[in-house]
Amino acid sequence: MSADMQKLIGANEEDDEEEIEMDVKEEDKEDHENGQKHIAAQMMLGADGVMPSTSHQFQIQQQLQEQVSTPGGVARRSRPLEEKERTKLRERHRRAITARILAGLRKHGNYNLRVRADINDVIAALAREAGWVVLPDGTTFPSRSQGSRPAGDSSAGLTSSSSQMLSQQAPPTSLQGVSSGYCASVEYNACHMKGVFMPTPAPYDLSSSGHSQSSGMVGNGGEQTESLPLIAGSMEVINDKQIIGLLPKLPERDFAGTPYVPVYVMLPLGVVNMKCELVDPDGLLKLLRVLKSINVDGVMIDCWWGIVEAHAPQEYNWNGYRRLFQMVHELKLKLQVVMSFHECGGNVGDDVCIPLPHWVAEIGRSNPDIFFTDREGRRNTECLSWGIDKERVLRGRTAVEVYFDFMRSFRVEFNEFFEDGIISMVEVGLGPCGELRYPSCPVKHGWRYPGIGEFQCYDQYMLKSLRKAAEMRGHRFWARGPDNAGSYSSHPHETGFFCDEGDYDGYYGRFFLNWYSQLLINHGDLVLSLAKLAFEGSCIAAKLPGIHWWYKTSSHAAELTAGFYNPCNRDGYIAIAAMLHKHGAALNFACAELQFLERREDLQEALANPQGLVWQVLNAAWEACITVVSENAFVCHDRVGYSKILENVKPVNDPDGRHFSSFTYLRLTPLLMERQNFMEFERFVKRMHGEAVLYL
């Protein structure tokens, strides 16, 4: 990239010199024109303001011409050579600064700026990245996603297919189209090329799409009073008509002919309520039909332990899920199901509260050591401690027996959906948020990004395991957690354990971290072995988090507290990949757009390296020959974000042609169903499927 930038800069140095010379010549030309005007004025008027005679005008003209031709004349100011050189230096310095800014944005920010971009292009790109709408004439206002829109905007409906877009590809020069009425606002992105979309009378109303298409465009001479979404181009008003100039298309990788990658959509968290009843089945059916209309492959749904087995051990209620699965089956969609053995409501993006089963909470009140515990004795009720995986403390059953009974009940209840191939994958929850990790960063206990988190090993069952490991090593005094590892929001250099050359790399540190991480692997190994037994013949998967902050430090502190023994001198993901391979389980890694975050300032301050983490985990997975699936970690509705996801799901430079096996979009929300957002999503699905798309 740097070599290319040098070529671009070098290729244009001569052009810059010519432009600087032109700037100086233009200033001299202006001075000359001012002098000519002064001559004309003196010719027209005499000294007393009276029009002179013809002979007198000739004398004045002759004198002024002599004055102009004289070096000391004042009518035409001759610019000194030194002043011209100073002007060139100032212009050269300004252009050099602009070139460095543009080079940095292209290299590190993935901004698509033209070679001869100026400061206006830079400001516009940054404003669009921040979520603002910037029109070609410079008009700027907040996008709809920021809760503000220009007057005259109306709520957007939903179109069922991209046929409601102008089927013309934008040529290199701007196209002119005419529409009437005020142009409403939706989010505009630098890489979006939008056509004219037809409004629909109501969201999700597919039956009226044909009518909307005929009435939403101007072409029959009739009056158009409905507001239209924003069209990415310049707008001028002539006789109450908008003249719309579409911008030329931006370079974009063509995914036509690439491997077919199925796309699933995660359903809302609260689609099934605490009584295991399907919430708003009619509305959900409409949404599923909309997803089916754009060839989405299926949906993903959480099956919550706290809902199904809420009131008593081994009393399962699957009613709401059965009705949902039947709807999905009738629409010929696929299902990805998550066995969610954690609570919902304490993490980012949780909009509902689903606790663990009531009978488990009752046990926890009398025996709080069934939950993860930090050094201060604070309990985390998000999921059960791995210390009780083999302890019969849940009314005569161990934790893994409880998980197995739940999974076996699900398999029996929905046997026909497995037999018909409707359920394509079962993701097994292995910890908080369903991820294989310790709950080391709980916001409710004071963690704030980019804190390193705390070790979660202080319940009596995990301490018992630690004492046993220390005794086997011959060092009983090692049966303790680190006392210099800081607190939840500490930074590595503030602690004696995680700092450079800290205790994490000493004899005790290596012993403790090896035991701590091995307990995580053992938990995943045990639960997945039972899942493989319960779902024999079906694809199972485990989810790993992307803990990328402090990755550029030697200790990788945030990963260590989460259970990943991955300092700079050790690969902590190889053993996890080997464990997944042992059970034929797929890896779900929420990394599809992590590399896109490299330029964020907060990640730089946290010494984060999302790209390094992504490739380390993927290499470990592919070396172990396990299937990789993915989902987005952050909300995405724009073309730039979708393109980045596509680049990661289908790597263009992979020598073995490897790619992800499926992608799950998080999640189905009203914002996704807004017209422009949904049209971008439909386009994204087509590219995931390897279909050709129009570059509008």
Side-chain angles (χ1 to χ4, degrees):
M1 176 63 76
S2 59
D4 295 338
M5 289 304 305
Q6 290 295 331
K7 291 180 181 179
L8 290 174
I9 295 173
N12 292 289
E13 285 181 349
E14 295 181 1
D15 294 339
D16 290 341
E17 288 291 335
E18 293 177 1
E19 289 186 11
I20 294 172
E21 290 286 346
M22 291 298 298
D23 291 341
V24 175
K25 290 179 180 179
E26 286 177 1
E27 292 183 10
D28 290 340
K29 182 179 179 181
E30 290 177 3
D31 293 338
H32 176 67
E33 290 176 354
N34 291 337
Q36 293 292 340
K37 292 178 181 178
H38 183 66
I39 292 173
Q42 290 194 13
M43 290 178 60
M44 295 300 298
L45 297 176
D48 54 355
V50 180
M51 181 68 69
S53 62
T54 303
S55 59
H56 188 54
Q57 288 182 11
F58 177 79
Q59 294 176 0
I60 292 175
Q61 183 176 5
Q62 187 176 13
Q63 292 175 3
L64 292 176
Q65 288 177 351
E66 293 174 356
Q67 191 178 41
V68 169
S69 61
T70 304
V74 297
R76 179 181 178 185
R77 179 172 58 87
S78 178
R79 291 169 58 86
L81 182 61
E82 296 81 6
E83 185 175 349
K84 293 181 179 180
E85 289 300 320
R86 285 197 299 271
T87 301
K88 290 182 180 180
L89 288 175
R90 286 195 302 269
E91 185 66 13
R92 190 177 293 112
H93 179 65
R94 183 184 67 81
R95 292 175 185 270
I97 293 175
T98 302
R100 293 190 190 100
I101 294 174
L102 298 177
L105 291 174
R106 291 191 188 98
K107 181 177 180 180
H108 303 292
N110 198 31
Y111 288 92
N112 198 346
L113 298 172
R114 58 190 177 91
V115 175
R116 304 303 298 274
D118 58 16
I119 197 63
N120 290 337
D121 297 313
V122 175
I123 295 173
L126 294 175
R128 290 173 182 137
E129 181 67 17
W132 291 73
V133 176
V134 181
L135 300 182
D137 63 355
T139 303
T140 304
F141 50 85
S143 68
R144 174 173 298 176
S145 61
Q146 293 178 298
S148 176
R149 63 188 70 175
D153 188 14
S154 63
S155 59
L158 177 68
T159 56
S160 60
S161 70
S162 59
S163 62
Q164 292 177 326
M165 192 190 314
L166 284 180
S167 57
Q168 295 176 346
Q169 185 170 351
T173 57
S174 79
L175 297 174
Q176 299 292 327
V178 181
S179 69
S180 63
Y182 186 79
C183 187
S185 163
V186 295
E187 185 175 0
Y188 172 81
N189 188 284
C191 289
H192 284 184
M193 301 304 301
K194 302 174 184 175
V196 181
F197 298 92
M198 285 58 67
T200 54
Y204 324 133
D205 188 359
L206 303 181
S207 61
S208 59
S209 60
H211 172 72
S212 300
Q213 182 171 355
S214 62
S215 63
M217 297 182 61
V218 175
N220 55 2
E223 287 294 322
Q224 174 70 21
T225 59
E226 296 179 352
S227 60
L228 299 175
L230 174 67
I231 300 173
S234 59
M235 295 187 297
E236 297 177 352
V237 178
I238 301 177
N239 296 329
D240 297 329
K241 303 285 185 181
Q242 289 181 359
I243 307 300
I244 306 163
L246 297 178
L247 297 178
K249 67 178 181 181
L250 299 176
E252 191 174 40
R253 178 184 163 191
D254 184 9
F255 286 89
T258 57
Y260 185 102
V261 175
V263 177
Y264 292 78
V265 176
M266 173 69 85
L267 295 183
L269 291 171
V271 68
V272 175
N273 62 22
M274 291 301 299
K275 297 180 180 179
C276 204
E277 298 171 339
L278 189 59
V279 177
D280 190 17
D282 294 335
L284 179 61
L285 181 59
K286 290 182 179 180
L287 293 176
L288 292 176
R289 285 174 176 166
V290 170
L291 295 178
K292 178 66 176 178
S293 71
I294 62 169
N295 295 321
V296 166
D297 296 271
V299 295
M300 176 179 272
I301 180 67
D302 287 282
C303 287
W304 295 99
W305 181 32
I307 292 179
V308 176
E309 197 180 0
H311 303 292
Q314 296 181 285
E315 291 185 5
Y316 307 104
N317 179 7
W318 299 102
N319 293 337
Y321 292 106
R322 171 162 288 279
R323 187 173 182 186
L324 171 62
F325 290 7
Q326 288 172 344
M327 290 168 52
V328 172
H329 186 17
E330 291 170 0
L331 292 174
K332 297 182 180 180
L333 291 168
K334 298 286 187 179
L335 271 169
Q336 291 180 337
V337 182
V338 183
M339 301 286 101
S340 298
F341 297 112
H342 61 283
E343 74 174 11
C344 177
N347 296 292
V348 177
D350 291 350
D351 53 4
V352 297
C353 181
I354 305 174
L356 298 184
H358 301 314
W359 60 272
V360 174
E362 291 177 0
I363 296 173
R365 280 190 284 271
S366 59
N367 181 14
D369 284 294
I370 67 173
F371 301 119
F372 283 105
T373 308
D374 63 17
R375 187 176 182 82
E376 299 297 324
R378 289 168 292 198
R379 314 288 184 174
N380 191 321
T381 60
E382 188 173 355
C383 60
L384 297 180
S385 168
W386 302 333
I388 65 170
D389 277 355
K390 298 181 181 181
E391 299 286 341
R392 296 189 177 280
V393 295
L394 300 176
R395 301 200 179 169
R397 294 185 296 168
T398 66
V400 293
E401 288 174 346
V402 170
Y403 303 148
F404 176 69
D405 290 341
F406 183 89
M407 292 186 289
R408 183 173 56 182
S409 172
F410 176 83
R411 179 64 175 82
V412 172
E413 180 71 22
F414 299 107
N415 179 66
E416 68 271 24
F417 295 96
F418 284 95
E419 296 294 335
D420 294 340
I422 301 301
I423 298 178
S424 60
M425 187 182 75
V426 178
E427 183 180 301
V428 183
L430 297 174
C433 297
E435 300 169 339
L436 180 61
R437 65 175 175 88
Y438 287 90
S440 57
C441 301
V443 175
K444 61 184 177 182
H445 289 167
W447 176 83
R448 296 295 182 271
Y449 177 85
I452 59 177
E454 290 190 21
F455 292 112
Q456 306 290 312
C457 59
Y458 295 94
D459 62 80
Q460 63 167 318
Y461 303 104
M462 294 193 71
L463 289 176
K464 175 183 174 181
S465 173
L466 180 58
R467 284 193 298 269
K468 183 178 179 180
E471 290 173 358
M472 291 180 61
R473 183 68 182 271
H475 301 288
R476 296 186 62 181
F477 59 93
W478 281 357
R480 57 177 176 82
D483 55 7
N484 60 347
S487 59
Y488 284 110
S489 295
S490 297
H491 293 185
H493 64 273
E494 300 171 349
T495 72
F497 191 81
F498 297 113
C499 65
D500 291 344
E501 300 182 359
D503 293 343
Y504 79 92
D505 204 27
Y507 289 109
Y508 161 73
R510 290 197 293 269
F511 158 77
F512 173 81
L513 292 172
N514 186 69
W515 166 81
Y516 189 73
S517 62
Q518 191 60 47
L519 210 60
L520 174 142
I521 296 175
N522 291 345
H523 170 73
D525 183 37
L526 189 56
V527 176
L528 288 178
S529 65
L530 296 176
K532 183 179 180 181
L533 181 61
F535 304 118
E536 185 177 2
S538 299
C539 176
I540 60 174
K543 184 178 179 181
L544 252 63
I547 302 178
H548 48 73
W549 54 101
W550 307 119
Y551 189 90
K552 292 182 180 179
T553 62
S554 59
S555 63
H556 293 216
E559 291 173 87
L560 296 184
T561 59
F564 304 108
Y565 191 7
N566 189 53
C568 62
N569 57 355
R570 187 180 188 276
D571 193 329
Y573 296 100
I574 292 179
I576 296 174
M579 181 268 293
L580 296 176
H581 175 72
K582 173 184 175 182
H583 302 293
L587 168 64
N588 182 4
F589 189 44
C591 68
E593 79 285 44
L594 284 183
Q595 299 179 59
F596 186 54
L597 306 176
E598 285 286 349
R599 68 178 182 275
R600 280 180 45 177
E601 184 176 350
D602 57 343
L603 294 183
Q604 296 173 5
E605 294 176 354
L607 297 178
N609 186 6
Q611 185 173 7
L613 174 67
V614 167
W615 286 114
Q616 182 184 1
V617 175
L618 291 183
N619 286 334
W622 280 329
E623 285 296 323
C625 299
I626 61 177
T627 301
V628 179
V629 300
S630 187
E631 61 189 39
N632 53 306
F634 302 93
V635 176
C636 178
H637 296 298
D638 61 272
R639 188 169 299 184
V640 173
Y642 286 138
S643 295
K644 192 62 182 178
I645 291 173
L646 283 156
E647 293 288 348
N648 292 332
V649 171
K650 301 181 180 183
V652 64
N653 295 322
D654 189 273
D656 300 314
R658 294 173 298 196
H659 57 85
F660 294 0
S661 296
S662 69
F663 176 79
T664 301
Y665 178 85
L666 269 62
R667 73 183 60 243
L668 182 61
T669 63
L671 186 58
L672 174 64
M673 289 301 172
E674 289 188 6
R675 181 185 307 148
Q676 179 58 33
N677 292 341
F678 193 76
M679 297 302 290
E680 284 295 335
F681 181 68
E682 178 187 14
R683 189 175 186 274
F684 166 72
V685 171
K686 289 183 177 180
R687 299 176 77 194
M688 274 289 189
H689 290 169
E691 300 177 16
V693 297
L694 293 177
Y695 292 91
L696 296 174

